[in-house]
Amino acid sequence: MAGSHTSDGAPASDARQAGPLIITEDAELLDDLLRLCAAAGAHPEVHPTVPEHRAAWESAPLILVGDDAAVGCRGATRRSGVLLVGHDQDDPGVWRRAVEIGADCVLRLPDAESWLVDRIADVAEGVGRQALTVGVIGGRGGAGASTLACALAVTAARGGRRTMLVDGDPLGGGLDVLFGGEQAEGLRWPDFAASKGRVAAGALEESLPSLRGLRVLSWDRGDAVTIPPEAMRSVLAAARRRGGVVVVDLPRRIDEATAEALAQLDLGLLVVPAELRAVAGAKRVASAVGMVLRDLRAVARGPYAAGVDEQWIADVLGLPLAGELPLEPGLMADLDAGVPPGDGARSPLGRFCTAFWERALAGEGVS
Protein backbone atom coordinates (compact mmCIF):
# COMPACT_ATOMS: atom_id res chain seq x y z
CA MET A 1 0.00 0.00 0.00
CA ALA A 2 1.46 3.36 -0.97
CA GLY A 3 0.23 5.03 2.20
CA SER A 4 -2.64 4.68 4.62
CA HIS A 5 -5.56 7.04 4.37
CA THR A 6 -8.63 7.82 6.38
CA SER A 7 -12.04 7.01 4.96
CA ASP A 8 -12.54 10.58 3.73
CA GLY A 9 -9.38 10.45 1.63
CA ALA A 10 -7.09 12.52 3.85
CA PRO A 11 -3.71 11.12 4.86
CA ALA A 12 -3.90 9.28 8.17
CA SER A 13 -1.48 11.73 9.76
CA ASP A 14 -3.95 14.52 9.03
CA ALA A 15 -6.96 12.82 10.63
CA ARG A 16 -8.88 15.16 12.90
CA GLN A 17 -9.01 12.54 15.65
CA ALA A 18 -7.51 9.13 16.18
CA GLY A 19 -10.05 6.72 14.72
CA PRO A 20 -10.15 2.91 14.66
CA LEU A 21 -7.77 0.81 12.60
CA ILE A 22 -9.58 -1.45 10.12
CA ILE A 23 -7.76 -4.50 8.73
CA THR A 24 -9.55 -6.35 5.95
CA GLU A 25 -9.54 -7.05 2.22
CA ASP A 26 -13.20 -8.07 2.21
CA ALA A 27 -14.85 -5.29 0.19
CA GLU A 28 -18.35 -5.97 1.51
CA LEU A 29 -17.17 -6.03 5.14
CA LEU A 30 -15.11 -2.87 4.59
CA ASP A 31 -18.14 -1.05 3.20
CA ASP A 32 -20.13 -1.99 6.30
CA LEU A 33 -17.37 -0.93 8.69
CA LEU A 34 -16.85 2.39 6.92
CA ARG A 35 -20.60 3.01 7.09
CA LEU A 36 -20.62 2.31 10.84
CA CYS A 37 -17.62 4.58 11.37
CA ALA A 38 -19.38 7.36 9.50
CA ALA A 39 -22.46 6.90 11.68
CA ALA A 40 -20.25 7.23 14.77
CA GLY A 41 -18.41 10.29 13.45
CA ALA A 42 -15.08 8.43 13.30
CA HIS A 43 -12.36 8.58 10.64
CA PRO A 44 -10.68 5.17 10.41
CA GLU A 45 -7.34 4.13 9.02
CA VAL A 46 -7.63 1.17 6.63
CA HIS A 47 -5.05 -1.55 5.85
CA PRO A 48 -5.39 -4.90 4.06
CA THR A 49 -2.98 -6.52 6.56
CA VAL A 50 -1.17 -5.59 9.78
CA PRO A 51 0.61 -2.26 9.11
CA GLU A 52 4.35 -2.46 8.56
CA HIS A 53 4.88 0.22 11.19
CA ARG A 54 4.18 -1.34 14.58
CA ALA A 55 3.13 2.03 16.00
CA ALA A 56 -0.04 2.03 13.86
CA TRP A 57 -1.15 -1.24 15.48
CA GLU A 58 -0.01 -0.39 18.98
CA SER A 59 -1.35 3.17 19.16
CA ALA A 60 -4.75 2.70 17.51
CA PRO A 61 -7.56 3.25 20.05
CA LEU A 62 -9.56 0.39 18.51
CA ILE A 63 -8.72 -2.31 15.95
CA LEU A 64 -11.37 -3.97 13.79
CA VAL A 65 -9.97 -7.14 12.23
CA GLY A 66 -12.00 -8.76 9.47
CA ASP A 67 -12.40 -12.54 9.47
CA ASP A 68 -10.46 -12.68 6.22
CA ALA A 69 -7.43 -10.95 7.80
CA ALA A 70 -7.28 -12.82 11.12
CA VAL A 71 -4.63 -15.33 10.02
CA GLY A 72 -2.30 -12.50 8.98
CA CYS A 73 -2.63 -10.87 12.41
CA ARG A 74 -1.41 -13.86 14.44
CA GLY A 75 2.07 -12.43 15.03
CA ALA A 76 0.95 -8.92 15.97
CA THR A 77 1.62 -7.56 19.45
CA ARG A 78 -1.03 -8.66 21.95
CA ARG A 79 -3.09 -5.74 23.19
CA SER A 80 -6.61 -4.82 24.27
CA GLY A 81 -9.12 -3.16 21.97
CA VAL A 82 -8.94 -5.75 19.17
CA LEU A 83 -12.31 -6.90 17.80
CA LEU A 84 -12.79 -9.72 15.27
CA VAL A 85 -15.60 -8.79 12.89
CA GLY A 86 -17.37 -10.76 10.17
CA HIS A 87 -20.66 -11.71 8.56
CA ASP A 88 -20.76 -15.51 8.86
CA GLN A 89 -23.06 -16.36 11.75
CA ASP A 90 -22.26 -20.11 11.69
CA ASP A 91 -18.46 -20.22 11.35
CA PRO A 92 -17.22 -22.74 13.98
CA GLY A 93 -13.60 -21.60 13.66
CA VAL A 94 -14.18 -17.95 14.55
CA TRP A 95 -13.47 -18.36 18.28
CA ARG A 96 -10.18 -20.13 17.59
CA ARG A 97 -9.07 -17.28 15.34
CA ALA A 98 -10.14 -14.76 17.97
CA VAL A 99 -7.96 -16.48 20.58
CA GLU A 100 -5.03 -16.61 18.17
CA ILE A 101 -5.00 -12.83 17.72
CA GLY A 102 -5.99 -11.97 21.30
CA ALA A 103 -9.32 -10.37 20.32
CA ASP A 104 -11.50 -8.97 23.09
CA CYS A 105 -14.63 -10.31 21.43
CA VAL A 106 -16.20 -11.59 18.21
CA LEU A 107 -18.82 -9.49 16.42
CA ARG A 108 -21.20 -10.73 13.74
CA LEU A 109 -22.82 -8.18 11.45
CA PRO A 110 -25.52 -7.00 11.12
CA ASP A 111 -26.58 -8.18 14.61
CA ALA A 112 -23.81 -6.30 16.43
CA GLU A 113 -24.02 -3.06 14.44
CA SER A 114 -25.65 -0.96 17.18
CA TRP A 115 -23.13 -2.07 19.81
CA LEU A 116 -20.20 -1.50 17.44
CA VAL A 117 -21.35 2.02 16.52
CA ASP A 118 -21.41 2.89 20.23
CA ARG A 119 -17.91 1.49 20.72
CA ILE A 120 -16.54 3.36 17.70
CA ALA A 121 -18.24 6.58 18.85
CA ASP A 122 -16.56 6.27 22.24
CA VAL A 123 -13.24 6.24 20.40
CA ALA A 124 -14.16 9.18 18.16
CA GLU A 125 -15.44 11.35 20.99
CA GLY A 126 -13.01 10.33 23.68
CA VAL A 127 -14.05 8.92 27.02
CA GLY A 128 -13.58 11.85 29.37
CA ARG A 129 -15.48 12.98 32.42
CA GLN A 130 -19.18 13.37 31.72
CA ALA A 131 -20.89 16.70 32.23
CA LEU A 132 -22.23 17.59 35.65
CA THR A 133 -25.94 17.59 34.86
CA VAL A 134 -28.35 19.71 36.88
CA GLY A 135 -32.12 19.75 36.49
CA VAL A 136 -34.36 22.63 37.59
CA ILE A 137 -38.07 22.11 38.25
CA GLY A 138 -40.77 24.39 39.64
CA GLY A 139 -42.78 23.52 42.71
CA ARG A 140 -45.72 25.25 41.02
CA GLY A 141 -46.34 27.17 37.83
CA GLY A 142 -44.48 30.46 37.67
CA ALA A 143 -42.04 29.43 40.39
CA GLY A 144 -39.06 30.76 38.46
CA ALA A 145 -37.49 27.44 37.41
CA SER A 146 -36.78 28.58 33.84
CA THR A 147 -35.23 31.81 35.11
CA LEU A 148 -32.92 29.86 37.42
CA ALA A 149 -32.04 27.31 34.74
CA CYS A 150 -31.01 30.08 32.33
CA ALA A 151 -29.06 31.93 35.01
CA LEU A 152 -27.17 28.78 36.00
CA ALA A 153 -26.22 28.10 32.37
CA VAL A 154 -25.18 31.70 31.69
CA THR A 155 -23.06 31.74 34.85
CA ALA A 156 -21.34 28.45 34.02
CA ALA A 157 -20.50 29.65 30.50
CA ARG A 158 -19.19 32.95 31.85
CA GLY A 159 -16.85 30.92 34.06
CA GLY A 160 -15.32 29.34 30.96
CA ARG A 161 -17.04 25.96 31.21
CA ARG A 162 -18.48 24.13 28.23
CA THR A 163 -22.21 24.57 28.83
CA MET A 164 -25.43 23.29 27.31
CA LEU A 165 -28.91 24.41 28.33
CA VAL A 166 -31.71 21.95 27.49
CA ASP A 167 -35.35 23.04 27.46
CA GLY A 168 -37.27 19.99 28.61
CA ASP A 169 -40.60 21.78 29.01
CA PRO A 170 -42.57 21.81 25.73
CA LEU A 171 -45.15 24.21 27.19
CA GLY A 172 -42.67 26.71 28.56
CA GLY A 173 -42.55 28.97 25.52
CA GLY A 174 -38.95 28.24 24.54
CA LEU A 175 -35.83 29.14 26.51
CA ASP A 176 -34.27 30.78 23.47
CA VAL A 177 -36.79 33.59 23.99
CA LEU A 178 -35.07 34.48 27.28
CA PHE A 179 -31.88 35.06 25.29
CA GLY A 180 -33.56 37.02 22.52
CA GLY A 181 -32.48 34.16 20.27
CA GLU A 182 -35.72 33.05 18.63
CA GLN A 183 -34.23 33.69 15.17
CA ALA A 184 -30.80 32.23 15.90
CA GLU A 185 -29.70 29.55 13.45
CA GLY A 186 -29.57 25.99 14.70
CA LEU A 187 -31.69 22.94 15.41
CA ARG A 188 -34.58 22.74 17.88
CA TRP A 189 -36.31 19.84 19.63
CA PRO A 190 -38.59 18.86 16.71
CA ASP A 191 -35.44 18.16 14.67
CA PHE A 192 -34.44 15.48 17.20
CA ALA A 193 -37.89 13.95 17.73
CA ALA A 194 -37.01 10.84 15.73
CA SER A 195 -33.71 10.20 17.55
CA LYS A 196 -33.57 6.69 19.01
CA GLY A 197 -30.02 5.41 18.76
CA ARG A 198 -26.80 7.11 19.70
CA VAL A 199 -26.54 10.82 18.86
CA ALA A 200 -23.02 12.02 18.11
CA ALA A 201 -22.07 14.43 20.89
CA GLY A 202 -19.93 16.72 18.75
CA ALA A 203 -22.54 16.93 16.02
CA LEU A 204 -25.24 17.75 18.59
CA GLU A 205 -23.22 20.59 20.08
CA GLU A 206 -22.33 22.08 16.71
CA SER A 207 -25.93 21.92 15.47
CA LEU A 208 -27.47 23.97 18.30
CA PRO A 209 -27.79 27.76 18.49
CA SER A 210 -24.89 29.42 20.29
CA LEU A 211 -26.22 32.11 22.63
CA ARG A 212 -24.15 34.00 25.22
CA GLY A 213 -21.31 31.52 24.96
CA LEU A 214 -23.40 28.38 25.50
CA ARG A 215 -25.43 25.98 23.40
CA VAL A 216 -29.21 26.00 23.78
CA LEU A 217 -31.60 23.21 22.81
CA SER A 218 -35.03 24.80 22.82
CA TRP A 219 -38.36 24.60 21.04
CA ASP A 220 -39.40 26.16 17.78
CA ARG A 221 -42.62 28.10 17.38
CA GLY A 222 -44.49 25.10 16.00
CA ASP A 223 -47.24 22.99 17.55
CA ALA A 224 -45.11 20.06 18.80
CA VAL A 225 -45.62 19.61 22.54
CA THR A 226 -44.00 16.26 23.29
CA ILE A 227 -40.52 14.80 23.43
CA PRO A 228 -40.38 11.06 22.72
CA PRO A 229 -38.62 9.37 25.67
CA GLU A 230 -36.12 7.73 23.31
CA ALA A 231 -35.16 11.15 21.94
CA MET A 232 -34.72 12.61 25.42
CA ARG A 233 -32.52 9.67 26.41
CA SER A 234 -30.33 9.87 23.29
CA VAL A 235 -29.95 13.65 23.22
CA LEU A 236 -29.16 14.05 26.93
CA ALA A 237 -26.67 11.19 26.84
CA ALA A 238 -24.89 12.92 23.95
CA ALA A 239 -24.93 16.27 25.77
CA ARG A 240 -23.38 14.70 28.86
CA ARG A 241 -20.57 13.02 26.89
CA ARG A 242 -19.23 16.44 25.86
CA GLY A 243 -18.27 17.23 29.46
CA GLY A 244 -18.58 20.56 31.26
CA VAL A 245 -22.07 21.20 32.60
CA VAL A 246 -25.58 20.56 31.31
CA VAL A 247 -28.59 22.39 32.76
CA VAL A 248 -32.07 20.99 32.07
CA ASP A 249 -35.28 22.99 32.57
CA LEU A 250 -37.97 20.44 33.43
CA PRO A 251 -41.78 20.50 33.52
CA ARG A 252 -43.68 19.69 36.70
CA ARG A 253 -45.55 16.82 35.09
CA ILE A 254 -43.50 13.61 35.21
CA ASP A 255 -44.16 11.86 31.91
CA GLU A 256 -41.90 9.26 30.28
CA ALA A 257 -39.61 11.85 28.69
CA THR A 258 -39.20 13.72 31.97
CA ALA A 259 -38.43 10.45 33.75
CA GLU A 260 -35.69 9.79 31.17
CA ALA A 261 -34.22 13.21 31.88
CA LEU A 262 -34.40 12.74 35.66
CA ALA A 263 -32.55 9.44 35.33
CA GLN A 264 -29.55 11.25 33.81
CA LEU A 265 -29.32 14.09 36.34
CA ASP A 266 -26.58 14.33 38.93
CA LEU A 267 -28.76 16.61 41.06
CA GLY A 268 -32.02 18.49 40.88
CA LEU A 269 -33.20 21.85 42.19
CA LEU A 270 -36.85 22.29 43.16
CA VAL A 271 -37.78 25.99 43.13
CA VAL A 272 -40.45 26.67 45.75
CA PRO A 273 -42.20 30.04 46.28
CA ALA A 274 -42.64 30.76 49.99
CA GLU A 275 -46.41 30.31 50.05
CA LEU A 276 -48.31 27.55 51.83
CA ARG A 277 -50.15 26.39 48.69
CA ALA A 278 -46.92 26.41 46.69
CA VAL A 279 -45.18 24.33 49.39
CA ALA A 280 -48.05 21.84 49.36
CA GLY A 281 -47.85 21.54 45.58
CA ALA A 282 -44.07 21.26 45.69
CA LYS A 283 -44.35 18.38 48.13
CA ARG A 284 -46.29 16.39 45.53
CA VAL A 285 -43.74 17.27 42.85
CA ALA A 286 -40.87 16.26 45.16
CA SER A 287 -42.53 12.92 45.85
CA ALA A 288 -42.85 12.13 42.14
CA VAL A 289 -39.35 13.35 41.26
CA GLY A 290 -37.82 11.51 44.21
CA MET A 291 -38.95 8.18 42.77
CA VAL A 292 -36.34 8.65 40.01
CA LEU A 293 -33.80 11.21 41.29
CA ARG A 294 -31.96 10.67 44.55
CA ASP A 295 -30.29 14.06 44.92
CA LEU A 296 -33.08 16.65 44.94
CA ARG A 297 -32.57 19.97 46.77
CA ALA A 298 -34.93 22.80 47.61
CA VAL A 299 -34.46 26.40 46.48
CA ALA A 300 -36.75 28.80 48.37
CA ARG A 301 -38.02 31.95 46.69
CA GLY A 302 -39.44 34.89 48.62
CA PRO A 303 -41.25 36.99 49.58
CA TYR A 304 -42.16 34.87 52.59
CA ALA A 305 -45.59 34.36 54.10
CA ALA A 306 -45.92 34.85 57.84
CA GLY A 307 -44.19 32.10 59.78
CA VAL A 308 -42.42 30.73 56.69
CA ASP A 309 -38.70 30.79 56.01
CA GLU A 310 -36.35 28.87 53.71
CA GLN A 311 -35.35 26.23 56.24
CA TRP A 312 -38.98 25.57 57.16
CA ILE A 313 -39.75 24.96 53.49
CA ALA A 314 -36.87 22.49 53.15
CA ASP A 315 -37.90 20.69 56.34
CA VAL A 316 -41.53 20.34 55.21
CA LEU A 317 -40.38 18.93 51.89
CA GLY A 318 -37.84 16.65 53.53
CA LEU A 319 -35.10 17.99 51.23
CA PRO A 320 -31.71 19.58 51.79
CA LEU A 321 -31.73 23.34 51.30
CA ALA A 322 -29.71 24.52 48.29
CA GLY A 323 -30.29 28.19 49.09
CA GLU A 324 -32.63 31.13 48.77
CA LEU A 325 -33.29 32.46 45.28
CA PRO A 326 -32.80 36.21 45.52
CA LEU A 327 -35.03 38.87 44.06
CA GLU A 328 -33.59 40.31 40.85
CA PRO A 329 -34.40 44.01 40.36
CA GLY A 330 -34.96 44.90 36.72
CA LEU A 331 -35.33 41.29 35.59
CA MET A 332 -38.38 41.91 33.40
CA ALA A 333 -36.80 44.95 31.78
CA ASP A 334 -33.67 42.91 31.00
CA LEU A 335 -35.73 40.11 29.47
CA ASP A 336 -37.59 42.59 27.29
CA ALA A 337 -34.20 43.82 26.09
CA GLY A 338 -32.99 40.28 25.29
CA VAL A 339 -30.65 40.12 28.30
CA PRO A 340 -30.89 36.64 29.86
CA PRO A 341 -31.16 35.95 33.61
CA GLY A 342 -27.79 35.77 35.33
CA ASP A 343 -26.06 37.92 32.74
CA GLY A 344 -24.67 40.24 35.41
CA ALA A 345 -22.01 38.51 37.48
CA ARG A 346 -22.56 40.92 40.38
CA SER A 347 -26.34 40.80 40.31
CA PRO A 348 -28.09 38.91 43.13
CA LEU A 349 -28.99 36.07 40.76
CA GLY A 350 -25.50 35.99 39.29
CA ARG A 351 -23.91 35.75 42.73
CA PHE A 352 -26.34 33.00 43.76
CA CYS A 353 -25.45 30.93 40.68
CA THR A 354 -21.72 31.50 41.08
CA ALA A 355 -21.90 30.27 44.67
CA PHE A 356 -23.95 27.25 43.59
CA TRP A 357 -21.41 26.18 40.95
CA GLU A 358 -18.51 26.65 43.34
CA ARG A 359 -20.14 24.18 45.74
CA ALA A 360 -21.44 21.78 43.11
CA LEU A 361 -18.20 21.60 41.15
CA ALA A 362 -15.90 21.31 44.16
CA GLY A 363 -13.78 18.24 43.51
CA GLU A 364 -15.58 17.43 40.25
CA GLY A 365 -12.78 18.58 37.94
CA VAL A 366 -15.37 19.87 35.46
CA SER A 367 -14.00 22.38 32.97
Side-chain angles (χ1 to χ4, degrees), residues 12 23-24 42 62 88 108 141 143 167 169 180 184 219 222 226 232 242 245 258 294 322 329 359 361 364:
I23 300 177
T24 185
L62 185 68
D88 191 347
R108 304 286 89 179
D167 186 352
D169 186 357
W219 290 85
T226 60
M232 179 65 80
R242 292 300 284 172
V245 298
T258 305
R294 286 188 176 184
R359 295 191 303 270
L361 296 168
E364 289 289 334

Side-chain angles (χ1 to χ4, degrees), residues 2 31 49 60 77 81 85 93 103 112 127 136-137 148 153 166 169 184 225 231 240 245 257 279 285 305 311 329 364:
D31 284 346
T49 59
T77 303
V85 189
V127 187
V136 186
I137 189 167
L148 178 56
V166 178
D169 186 357
V225 293
R240 298 187 71 208
V245 298
V279 173
V285 175
Q311 191 58 58
E364 289 289 334

Side-chain angles (χ1 to χ4, degrees), residues 56-94:
W57 172 277
E58 295 174 357
S59 64
L62 185 68
I63 300 177
L64 308 178
V65 177
D67 268 351
D68 64 294
V71 173
C73 294
R74 287 176 181 170
T77 303
R78 292 297 179 106
R79 49 154 292 171
S80 62
V82 176
L83 310 180
L84 184 60
V85 189
H87 287 120
D88 191 347
Q89 303 284 345
D90 302 314
D91 182 357
V94 65

Side-chain angles (χ1 to χ4, degrees), residues 270 272 275-284 286-287 298 307-321:
L270 179 62
V272 188
E275 307 163 1
L276 294 180
R277 288 185 61 192
V279 173
K283 191 171 180 63
R284 291 191 289 271
S287 177
V308 175
D309 62 22
E310 63 271 23
Q311 191 58 58
W312 181 87
I313 291 173
D315 291 344
V316 169
L317 297 176
L319 300 175
L321 180 65

Side-chain angles (χ1 to χ4, degrees), residues 16-20 36-44 61-62 116-128 198 200-202 241-242:
R16 288 177 289 174
Q17 280 183 298
L36 298 180
C37 285
H43 302 271
L62 185 68
L116 185 53
V117 168
D118 281 353
R119 185 70 184 274
I120 296 171
D122 284 339
V123 168
E125 296 172 3
V127 187
R198 184 177 181 121
R241 287 197 302 273
R242 292 300 284 172

